[in-house]
């Protein structure tokens, strides 16, 4: 057990030199706003829809409602089948089909339970999250939903962060396309490391859905695309290696990941487990020696199994950074890891 820092104290330490820190958001950010985003809710929704029966049995066998955990096991099963030359069997094709259907079920479930519009949240609640986000120079998230987008759009000055998208016109159609360049260097940046519901690849170009221009709610635009079997740009692969392959195959995702490898100073981790399924993110943090200190948020009782494992994984980052420094034969200070009380950030406290 260690004393957890108050969020305000952690932010104060991280901004001593008047440079804003960065933040990595996980599913805990969304769950704090809406309990429907718990993995259990997504699982129940998928069961009622079209989750393959054999896959449902995997959820039960492994005692989990985490889609990524099951996808990871299917991914391993497919690799083993290929390794032992069974990829020509009908059963292999059935497993591959279950793997793809499970990925689609995850996306379908998120879209179907997603709040229809930002108006389902009070202005005070969205602006409370906005105040939290304003503490950071760069925002990285592994969430697919629209809550981050809605939060940043709240408030009188609206969009305080840039995301590399700009309006383009082609054949009379107006849309937001990813160009990757920041227009105003004084503004912050935000990146969806695993894609998002409102991002899609059209003709090899990553575009962002927006309410302005179409006057159709974004979530409705997402649903229209799903009905047409046009799936959003999301990374739902089970293993970290396959996630990395997916990221490298997309210009937007690759650029977002590169930014994580380039930021310097301090990184806050909020609502993220730093689990094995995100080993590619852990590796980026460890190998980016310009990151000097990591502030990891702990929610609730420190003695719970999940919090103990999170703290262990965070401490492991120090050892992994030491190995990187030794392999590069450079004389730099080791990575520092600090823990703060996530609840003290009061991200969604306003009603």
């Amino acid at each position: 057990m260690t004393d957890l820092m108050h969020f305000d104290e952690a932010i104060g330490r991280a901004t001593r030199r008047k440079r804003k820190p960065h933040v990595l958001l996980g599913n805990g950010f969304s769950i704090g706003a809406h309990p429907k985003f718990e993995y259990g809710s997504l699982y129940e929704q998928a069961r009622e829809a079209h989750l393959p029966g054999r896959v449902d049995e995997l959820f039960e066998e492994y005692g989990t409602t985490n889609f990524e955990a099951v996808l990871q096991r299917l991914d391993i099963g497919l690799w083993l089948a290929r390794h032992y030359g069974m990829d020509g069997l009908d059963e292999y094709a059935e497993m591959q089909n279950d793997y793809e259907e499970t990925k689609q079920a995850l996306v379908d479930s998120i879209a179907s339970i997603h709040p229809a519009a930002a108006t389902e949240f009070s202005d005070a609640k969205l602006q409370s999250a906005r105040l939290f986000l304003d503490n950071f120079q760069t925002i990285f998230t592994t969430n697919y939903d629209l809550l981050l987008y809605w939060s940043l759009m709240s408030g009188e000055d609206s969009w305080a962060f840039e995301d590399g998208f700009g309006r383009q016109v082609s054949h009379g159609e107006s849309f937001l396309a990813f160009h990757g360049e920041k227009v105003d260097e004084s503004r912050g940046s935000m990146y969806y490391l695993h894609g998002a519901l409102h991002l899609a690849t059209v003709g090899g170009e990553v575009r962002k859905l927006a309410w302005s221009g179409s006057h159709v709610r974004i979530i409705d635009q997402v649903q229209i695309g799903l009905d047409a079997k046009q799936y959003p740009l999301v990374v739902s692969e089970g293993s970290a290696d396959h996630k990395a392959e997916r990221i490298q195959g997309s210009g937007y995702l690759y650029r977002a990941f590169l930014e994580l490898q380039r930021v310097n100073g301090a990184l806050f981790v909020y609502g993220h487990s730093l689990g094995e399924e995100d080993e590619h993110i852990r590796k980026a943090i460890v190998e980016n020696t310009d990151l000097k200190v990591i502030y990891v948020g702990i929610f609730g009782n420190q003695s719970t199994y999940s919090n103990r494992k999170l703290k262990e994984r965070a401490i492991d980052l120090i050892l992994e950074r030491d190995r990187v420094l030794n392999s590069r034969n450079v004389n730099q200070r080791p990575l520092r890891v600090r823990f703060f009380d996530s609840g003290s950030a009061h991200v969604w406290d306003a009603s």
Side-chain angles (χ1 to χ4, degrees), residues 108-172:
D108 288 347
S109 299
I110 294 173
S112 61
I113 69 165
H114 199 290
T119 51
E120 293 194 19
F121 300 92
S122 69
D123 289 341
K125 191 166 189 175
L126 290 174
Q127 289 177 35
S128 175
R130 168 64 181 276
L131 289 175
F132 165 74
L133 296 169
D134 278 344
N135 287 295
F136 306 105
Q137 180 64 26
T138 315
I139 301 171
F140 301 98
T141 180
T142 56
N143 299 337
Y144 309 135
D145 59 67
L146 297 169
L147 297 184
L148 172 59
Y149 180 80
W150 286 341
S151 299
L152 291 175
M153 292 294 289
S154 67
E156 294 182 359
D157 58 345
S158 187
W159 193 253
F161 293 84
E162 294 196 6
D163 59 0
F165 285 87
R167 188 161 298 280
Q168 295 186 15
V169 178
S170 177
H171 302 291

Side-chain angles (χ1 to χ4, degrees), residues 38 48 138 181 188 261 282 294 321 323 346:
E38 293 180 358
E48 295 175 3
T138 315
E181 301 299 326
Q261 295 174 312
R282 290 172 55 87
I294 311 294
R321 171 66 66 81
R323 286 192 285 269
H346 302 294

Side-chain angles (χ1 to χ4, degrees), residues 112-340:
S112 61
I113 69 165
H114 199 290
T119 51
E120 293 194 19
F121 300 92
S122 69
D123 289 341
K125 191 166 189 175
L126 290 174
Q127 289 177 35
S128 175
R130 168 64 181 276
L131 289 175
F132 165 74
L133 296 169
D134 278 344
N135 287 295
F136 306 105
Q137 180 64 26
T138 315
I139 301 171
F140 301 98
T141 180
T142 56
N143 299 337
Y144 309 135
D145 59 67
L146 297 169
L147 297 184
L148 172 59
Y149 180 80
W150 286 341
S151 299
L152 291 175
M153 292 294 289
S154 67
E156 294 182 359
D157 58 345
S158 187
W159 193 253
F161 293 84
E162 294 196 6
D163 59 0
F165 285 87
R167 188 161 298 280
Q168 295 186 15
V169 178
S170 177
H171 302 291
E173 179 188 6
S174 177
F175 51 86
L176 293 171
F178 181 68
H179 53 72
E181 301 299 326
K182 288 187 67 173
V183 177
D184 186 349
E185 290 295 332
S186 67
R187 293 159 74 94
S189 304
M190 48 115 31
Y191 299 98
Y192 289 86
L193 293 174
H194 290 167
L197 287 178
H198 64 299
L199 303 181
T201 302
V202 181
E205 181 178 56
V206 177
R207 300 181 182 180
K208 180 176 71 173
L209 302 177
W211 180 85
S212 59
S214 67
H215 298 292
V216 176
R217 293 182 305 185
I218 294 176
I219 197 64
D220 291 337
Q221 295 180 52
V222 171
Q223 195 61 58
I224 290 170
L226 290 173
D227 293 341
K229 303 300 181 182
Q230 297 173 356
Y231 285 86
L233 174 64
V234 296
V235 178
S236 56
E237 276 67 16
S239 71
D241 286 345
H242 284 187
K243 283 180 178 177
E245 290 176 7
R246 177 81 167 92
I247 288 168
Q248 291 173 2
S250 165
Y252 169 78
L253 297 175
Y254 186 60
R255 171 62 182 275
F257 199 69
L258 283 180
E259 291 300 323
L260 180 60
Q261 295 174 312
R262 293 171 178 167
V263 293
N264 55 30
L267 175 72
F268 278 68
V269 178
Y270 182 90
H272 199 288
S273 67
L274 298 174
E276 293 180 0
E277 66 277 6
D278 288 323
E279 182 61 28
H280 57 302
I281 291 176
R282 290 172 55 87
K283 183 178 179 181
I285 292 172
V286 167
E287 294 186 350
N288 180 3
T289 56
D290 287 332
L291 276 177
K292 306 301 183 183
V293 57
I294 311 294
Y295 293 88
V296 180
I298 302 294
F299 183 78
N301 190 336
Q302 293 187 65
S303 64
T304 64
Y305 176 78
S306 59
N307 278 336
R308 292 201 312 271
K309 294 300 292 184
L310 172 56
K311 294 177 75 173
E312 289 175 8
R313 288 191 290 266
I315 294 298
D316 283 343
L317 294 176
I318 299 175
L319 302 177
E320 294 172 22
R321 171 66 66 81
D322 287 344
R323 286 192 285 269
V324 169
L325 295 176
N326 289 334
S327 67
R328 296 178 183 177
N329 196 26
V330 294
N331 185 21
Q332 289 187 3
R333 294 180 61 182
L335 178 69
R336 289 171 290 154
V337 173
R338 302 288 184 266
F339 298 99
F340 71 94

